[in-house]
Amino acid sequence: MSDMEEVIATCRDTMLTALEKIGGQSLICSWTRRDGSVVKMMLEIRTSDQTTIGDAIRSMDDEEMARRLVPNVLDALGEDGQPSEDGVRDWLEMPESYLKY
């Protein structure tokens, strides 16, 4: 296991322990490295059969995309200007229940 993998595993385990102790469903940790870059790590507990936004999009037809997807994308990803690739990926991995429309 590389040093990076070990750090990620330690962070994940620490976050899981914190969630268990407070009874939470999700936790976001953020820290700044010495070089000034910011690292964010999110952990969300959900059932394995829960449909994600990405899963929902894959099963949408054109009409449903126009009705549900476009308004949600504009709401969720357009708030702070152009979204980052990581922001889009994080949004696609959220549970389908996060879709407002």
Side-chain angles (χ1 to χ4, degrees):
M1 182 181 292
S2 72
D3 289 343
M4 180 186 281
E5 290 171 329
E6 191 172 326
V7 168
I8 290 171
T10 301
C11 288
R12 183 197 61 232
D13 293 346
T14 302
M15 291 169 71
L16 278 171
T17 301
L19 281 176
E20 289 173 353
K21 290 186 182 215
I22 63 172
Q25 291 295 311
S26 64
L27 181 66
I28 300 173
C29 292
S30 177
W31 61 93
T32 304
R33 294 179 177 155
R34 290 182 189 152
D35 65 2
S37 61
V38 176
V39 177
K40 291 183 181 179
M41 181 178 258
M42 179 178 172
L43 177 69
E44 185 170 21
I45 298 174
R46 62 178 186 229
T47 60
S48 62
D49 62 344
Q50 190 172 25
T51 304
T52 65
I53 291 173
D55 295 332
I57 291 170
R58 281 188 280 282
S59 66
M60 288 181 182
D61 59 18
D62 291 347
E63 183 179 317
E64 189 174 12
M65 280 187 185
R67 184 173 40 83
R68 291 185 69 202
L69 180 60
V70 172
N72 277 289
V73 168
L74 294 175
D75 279 356
L77 302 178
E79 293 173 345
D80 302 322
Q82 187 171 352
S84 68
E85 188 176 320
D86 288 339
V88 172
R89 191 177 306 107
D90 292 344
W91 183 76
L92 289 170
E93 292 173 356
M94 295 176 95
E96 182 182 6
S97 59
Y98 280 64
L99 290 174
K100 296 178 186 177
Y101 307 102

